[in-house]
Amino acid sequence: MDTHLYTGGALKETVTAGSLKTKVCVCVCVCVCVLTPQKPGGGPVVVQGNGKNTASEKLQRVRKWSITTYKCTRQALSEKLGRGSRTVDLELEPRLELLKDDRQRYDHMTKLAQTLANQLAQFTVTQKTLGDAFSELSLKTPTLHVEFGVNAEAQKFLSKSGETLTAAINSFTSDMNTLVNKTIEDTMINAKQYEAARIEYDAYRVDLEELNLGPRDTVTLPKLEQAQKDFQSQRERYQTIRDDLSVKVKLLEENKVKVLHNQLWLFHGAVAAHSLSCHHFLEQNIRQAGEQLSDPSMDAPSWLEES
């Protein structure tokens, strides 16, 4: 089997019109032909070629994409300038705006909670270190053994309870980050796709309206029929994306309420448990310290009394 390869170069031609020179560049595609070997007795040579013109298909796709991009850009600019009409879904778009606002507020709340957890973690480390310092002084100072001991126990307990609260707040921020940056963000990505489909739909709608206002003749009728087909295709695509997004927003709203209900009660419970445990411990700690300090045997005689 023989393979013959022909590679055409780029043909350049200069066209002169008055003082204007235009350079035309024609690209010649590479053509690969496969020849079957000729039979010994002599026979026809069969040339097998590719029936598909891939270059032409790619050119058509690029041309279609370019036209669509131009129409969408023109539509978006006309809307921003207040000159063009746009399709408004009175049920879906307000819910998307509310969701966008909620996402910003939830993100701000989550960042504040994370800041609180970080500061509380540093606070508990300082409390634990201070408690260790009180314990050491309690052993080295017999006359103030009770006072240093009470403060050492209090700081160590508060530090341990603070660590529990910090872990609870970190769990809260982790779940909130999942809700804000994954669940809601995924819906917002779909909302951007919906907005792009809406602009594309409006662009083809405007083109169809302009053609309907123009004259009807043998030249415009084929364009009008094609515009009607393109408009119908874009309309079906827009409605499909809109319906899917509407269902997704409804499910997100229900899931959001459930997640926030559980997380907010867990957060409140952790703060309440931390405060109550610290309050009970400090009350008990002060009562025990008062009993020890009221014991007469704990009071050492002064040097004046001894003398």
Side-chain angles (χ1 to χ4, degrees), residues 165-186:
L165 178 60
T166 301
I169 297 177
N170 283 329
S171 177
F172 171 80
T173 56
S174 176
D175 291 337
M176 287 302 301
N177 278 322
T178 301
L179 175 65
V180 173
N181 298 321
K182 291 184 179 180
T183 308
I184 298 181
E185 180 63 22
D186 181 63

Side-chain angles (χ1 to χ4, degrees), residues 10-68:
L11 304 180
K12 296 183 180 178
E13 181 179 356
T14 303
V15 180
T16 306
S19 61
L20 177 64
K21 292 185 178 181
T22 304
K23 185 170 290 187
V24 181
C25 180
V26 181
C27 296
V28 182
C29 300
V30 177
C31 178
V32 180
C33 297
V34 180
L35 302 180
T36 57
Q38 190 174 5
K39 295 181 180 180
V45 177
V46 181
V47 179
Q48 298 177 353
N50 188 0
K52 296 182 179 179
N53 192 344
T54 57
S56 177
E57 293 177 357
K58 290 181 179 179
L59 183 61
Q60 289 297 328
R61 285 197 297 266
V62 171
R63 179 176 178 273
K64 184 177 180 181
W65 174 83
S66 301
I67 294 174
T68 302

Side-chain angles (χ1 to χ4, degrees), residues 195-212:
E195 180 64 14
R198 198 272 308 162
I199 292 176
E200 190 171 347
Y201 162 71
D202 279 338
Y204 280 90
R205 175 183 58 79
V206 170
D207 278 353
L208 181 61
E209 292 174 354
E210 292 177 353
L211 288 174
N212 282 327

Side-chain angles (χ1 to χ4, degrees), residues 113-125 127 158-174 267 270-271 274:
Q114 188 62 58
T115 301
L116 175 63
N118 295 337
Q119 293 175 347
L120 186 59
Q122 295 177 357
F123 186 65
T124 55
V125 171
Q127 282 184 316
L158 293 175
S159 175
K160 186 175 181 180
S161 180
E163 291 175 354
T164 304
L165 178 60
T166 301
I169 297 177
N170 283 329
S171 177
F172 171 80
T173 56
S174 176
F267 186 89
V271 174
H274 168 73

